[in-house]
């Protein structure tokens, strides 16, 4: 009988905790957005990596708010896409001001103010402000076209 009472008591505690907002049946996680950039000639619209004006090995990305520390990125060359992908922003609450250079050329700046939040058992990134200089955002693809003169 003691076992049944203990089992019943444990079951009641578990069921009550499931109704508590702090405990969830299933947590959800939404990773932060990745930022994709295509560097194009402002006049012709041609990708400057595709036409070999720039070399992907010459990309330098630094954060001016963090002692010009290098920032992780990926260059996507598959299928001749030739995009710069920055995936390291938004995993935590932060403000970044990135300088993107290729060789000696300053290409554009990326400013992001993001908060990492957790609500209703889900964690996600809330972007308070995003600024990308010299760019046009393609809302269909989410790719910023960086216009270089």
């Amino acid at each position: 009988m003691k076992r049944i009472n203990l089992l019943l008591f444990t079951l009641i505690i578990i069921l009550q905790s499931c109704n508590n907002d702090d405990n969830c049946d299933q947590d959800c996680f939404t990773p932060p957005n990745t930022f994709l950039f295509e560097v194009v000639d402002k006049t012709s619209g041609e990708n400057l990596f595709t036409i070999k004006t720039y070399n992907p090995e010459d990309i330098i990305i630094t954060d001016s708010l963090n002692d010009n520390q290098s920032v992780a990125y990926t260059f996507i060359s598959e299928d001749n896409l030739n995009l710069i992908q920055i995936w390291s922003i938004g995993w935590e609450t932060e403000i970044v001001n990135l300088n993107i250079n290729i060789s000696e050329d300053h290409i554009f700046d990326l400013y992001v103010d993001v908060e990492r939040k957790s609500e209703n058992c889900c964690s996600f990134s809330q972007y308070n402000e995003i600024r990308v200089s010299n760019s046009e955002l393609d809302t269909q693809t989410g790719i910023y076209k960086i216009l270089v003169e």
Side-chain angles (χ1 to χ4, degrees):
M1 186 71 166
K2 285 184 179 183
R3 240 184 219 166
I4 293 174
N5 285 341
L6 182 59
L7 182 62
L8 186 58
F9 177 74
T10 304
L11 184 59
I12 290 170
I13 295 295
I14 291 171
L15 290 175
Q16 284 180 342
S17 68
C18 287
N19 292 330
N20 185 343
D21 287 343
D22 293 336
N23 296 313
C24 302
D25 290 337
Q26 184 175 21
D27 288 339
C28 66
F29 172 79
T30 304
N33 296 342
T34 60
F35 293 90
L36 292 169
F37 306 97
E38 181 181 16
V39 180
V40 301
D41 180 270
K42 186 176 184 175
T43 306
S44 69
E46 292 179 289
N47 184 305
L48 294 174
F49 290 103
T50 302
I51 63 172
K52 309 284 188 225
T53 301
Y54 291 127
N55 185 341
E57 288 81 32
D58 295 331
I59 299 170
I60 302 167
I61 302 177
T62 57
D63 184 355
S64 66
L65 298 178
N66 195 10
D67 295 325
N68 289 321
Q69 188 173 35
S70 293
V71 174
Y73 71 92
T74 304
F75 187 79
I76 302 171
S77 60
E78 291 85 27
D79 297 326
N80 214 22
L81 286 176
N82 297 322
L83 301 173
I84 299 170
Q85 178 185 43
I86 301 174
W87 43 264
S88 58
I89 300 170
W91 291 96
E92 61 187 10
T93 297
E94 63 184 332
I95 296 175
V96 297
N97 191 30
L98 305 186
N99 301 307
I100 294 80
N101 297 296
I102 303 173
S103 291
E104 301 296 317
D105 297 335
H106 177 71
I107 305 301
F108 69 101
D109 297 312
L110 170 63
Y111 175 88
V112 180
D113 176 355
V114 60
E115 290 180 67
R116 193 71 189 164
K117 293 192 163 195
S118 183
E119 294 177 3
N120 300 322
C121 299
C122 292
S123 63
F124 59 95
S125 297
Q126 177 180 309
Y127 294 88
N128 300 318
E129 185 175 2
I130 299 172
R131 290 191 314 248
V132 183
S133 63
N134 307 325
S135 72
E136 295 175 351
L137 174 61
D138 182 333
T139 56
Q140 299 279 330
T141 63
I143 298 172
Y144 290 90
K145 285 190 180 230
I146 306 303
L147 309 173
V148 177
E149 292 189 38

